[in-house]
Amino acid sequence: MKISKRHIISLLIISIIALGAISVASAYTGTGFTHNVPSSKYYDLSASDILNKYSDTDCKVEETGVCTEVVDGDTIYLDNGKKVRFVGVNTPERGVEGYIASKNFVRKLCLNKEVGLDIDNAKHNDKYGRTLAVVIVDGKSVNEMLLKEGLAEVMYIPPSEFYPYNWADSSTHIPNSLNTITHTNSDSSSSDSGSYIGNSNSGKFHESTCKWGQKTAEHNRVYFDS
């Protein structure tokens, strides 16, 4: 059988369609985190409306820059060329339910505005070269807001200066694999206030000299002797 040019073209088209279908089926979904916050929820709210709901963060601004692009709900570009990954949180990937709402939330707060960074001193960059940081707008932590708005899940990857469980509340999604994480120091000893520091916000507890216990805000601390 003689194969014509038309047959070759047809086979090429079929191959391209098939490869496209495979790519869609195997699209990267990250941890698989999704949420059902409607993308329209924040349309009628100004950035000030959102920021006024939250208290100032304890994080300190170490660098500043203007946000020139929002890649998704947890990654932005600054005018100095730096690509920033919001530390401690994870939002839905492109094509996954919730992606647009999380991205639009960050766009409203950050795009074309000066933002502050509190860079993770324990691990400055991730494996993709992105700067790991808490993003701060008008003294408020966008990382914390994403968690409390239900737009992100906790993603704690040690080593890290930050413990995102402290930013979470009862509605925050915490992956099952992270629910039982505790951090202790086997060489630690008791303190005068108690051997263990509990966090009334996250429900976690630590030995009194554990660095994560010491990072717990005073108003969230509960001390235990055993």
Side-chain angles (χ1 to χ4, degrees):
M1 176 181 175
K2 187 176 180 180
I3 299 177
S4 67
K5 184 177 180 180
R6 186 173 63 180
H7 286 141
I8 294 174
I9 293 173
S10 298
L11 288 171
L12 285 172
I13 293 173
I14 292 171
S15 298
I16 291 170
I17 293 172
L19 287 171
I22 293 171
S23 296
V24 170
S26 59
Y28 177 69
T29 58
T31 65
F33 170 66
T34 66
H35 63 73
N36 57 5
V37 177
S39 58
S40 60
K41 178 177 179 179
Y42 305 100
Y43 282 170
D44 296 329
L45 296 177
S46 67
S48 295
D49 291 332
I50 299 169
L51 291 166
N52 288 338
K53 293 170 54 181
Y54 292 94
S55 302
D56 286 352
T57 179
D58 292 331
C59 297
K60 306 300 181 185
V61 174
E62 298 173 337
E63 293 184 16
T64 61
V66 175
C67 173
T68 57
E69 180 183 351
V70 176
V71 179
D72 54 29
D74 54 41
T75 307
I76 62 174
Y77 276 104
L78 301 185
D79 59 346
N80 58 12
K82 185 168 288 187
K83 191 173 186 179
V84 180
R85 175 63 164 80
F86 291 53
V87 69
V89 304
N90 180 59
T91 60
E93 302 294 335
R94 183 186 299 273
V96 175
E97 183 182 10
Y99 165 81
I100 294 176
S102 296
K103 180 176 180 178
N104 285 347
F105 181 83
V106 174
R107 283 174 57 89
K108 176 155 287 192
L109 292 177
C110 300
L111 188 62
N112 298 323
K113 299 174 184 176
E114 183 175 84
V115 302
L117 301 181
D118 188 348
I119 298 172
D120 193 335
N121 292 329
K123 187 178 182 182
H124 291 189
N125 303 97
D126 67 7
K127 63 182 180 180
Y128 303 108
R130 299 176 296 187
T131 298
L132 295 169
V134 173
V135 176
I136 301 169
V137 176
D138 289 345
K140 316 295 174 67
S141 165
V142 182
N143 305 47
E144 178 180 347
M145 288 187 274
L146 283 165
L147 290 176
K148 289 183 175 176
E149 293 288 331
L151 298 167
E153 65 177 347
V154 167
M155 177 175 275
Y156 174 67
I157 304 176
S160 177
E161 173 190 357
F162 304 104
Y163 192 57
Y165 293 102
N166 291 340
W167 306 331
D169 61 18
S170 59
S171 63
T172 300
H173 182 262
I174 299 176
N176 290 332
S177 61
L178 298 179
N179 279 332
T180 58
I181 289 181
T182 58
H183 303 278
T184 60
N185 183 340
S186 59
D187 295 327
S188 63
S189 57
S190 299
S191 71
D192 293 338
S193 300
S195 299
Y196 301 93
I197 299 173
N199 186 320
S200 62
N201 185 36
S202 68
K204 309 297 178 184
F205 66 93
H206 318 262
E207 291 189 16
S208 59
T209 55
C210 169
K211 67 176 181 178
W212 302 113
Q214 293 170 0
K215 284 180 177 289
T216 303
E218 272 304 327
H219 63 275
N220 287 330
R221 291 192 183 195
V222 181
Y223 294 96
F224 300 90
D225 289 326
S226 64

